[in-house]
Amino acid sequence: MAEREKRRLKVVFMGTPDFAAASLKHLLDWGGCDVVGVYCQPDRPCGRGQICTPPPVKLLAMESRLPVFQPLNFKEQADVDQLAALEPDLLLVAAYGLILPRTVLEIPKLGAINVHASLLPEYRGAAPIQRAIMDGKPVTGITIMQMEAGLDTGDILLQRSRAIGIMDTAQSLHDELAEMGGKLLVDALEKMDQGRLVRIPQDHARATYAAKLSKEEGRIDWNRPVLDVHNRIRGLFPWPGSWFDWDGMPGKTLRLTVHPGTIGDPLPEGVHPGEIHGVADDSVLIACADRLYAVPVIKPANSKPLRGREFYCGYLSRCSGDHLLKPEPACPGE
């Protein structure tokens, strides 16, 4: 039989957020397989009004007129049977939000492959993008892996790396890796069709874990070196965000959430970590252990976000204290 007459793969796609929607879009644009079903997490309340909102993957699937399934989990046999009835050759998974049980992984003839936002075996788990930035890693990437019952422990099929810039945030890196993941998934399927996909076992001794984020991790410790503070703030942006409790108002402590900023001058003599030390280029200067940190946007609790100068003039009741920041290398000391 000619190559062009080979039976097209029947695949089921499993994913939930924007990251997964990028992979589904690339898959549909490619058109080299038949997507017979799309699985995502159930609609959940979102925003201040707590209105149930369809996840991005569901919206894209509905636009493409694909059948959508949203089981809470696969503990009910009826949900497993429903998936089996689709008779998929392969499961394609990206940020589904659920660890798939063996009963599900054994349904497709070719198993399941996953799009993971790290260079496995580093950063297995729920928050690989954020943790890589928070740890100050210079590079990350995408891994296409064969799934098994363990957490991100399966064989590596393809990998592609991407440098992490000094101003990258979790949001900006997420968006680029989402696109990269979709393209690499299609590459993997093309190589699979050509019989050129090689499985490489992970080196489990090198494995690290990217635990789920918590809001408490957003508390800023200004006693840390400025590069550590910068990495944590940008790694937690936009969620859960970075904050500290400020005692700069008489008789009142105010919680301030900050946006990622830039590394400033060495710490002036007599200035202590956590102190607000004027403004420069419309950013508030806050002291860390070794240098000033220039914050462009601050959001006081129960208030709208303010530009640095707006906050400084309004909450400190003075607009003097401007400083000029000297150009500094990306990593102080280089």
Side-chain angles (χ1 to χ4, degrees), residues 95 116-117 123-131 151-152 209-213:
H116 186 75
Y123 296 107
R124 297 171 177 174
I129 296 173
Q130 297 91 336
R131 298 290 178 192
L151 178 63
D152 299 328
Y209 179 60
K212 185 177 179 180
L213 300 173

Side-chain angles (χ1 to χ4, degrees), residues 285-296:
L285 304 178
I286 305 179
C288 297
D290 54 348
R291 287 176 176 266
L292 297 173
Y293 190 63
V295 177

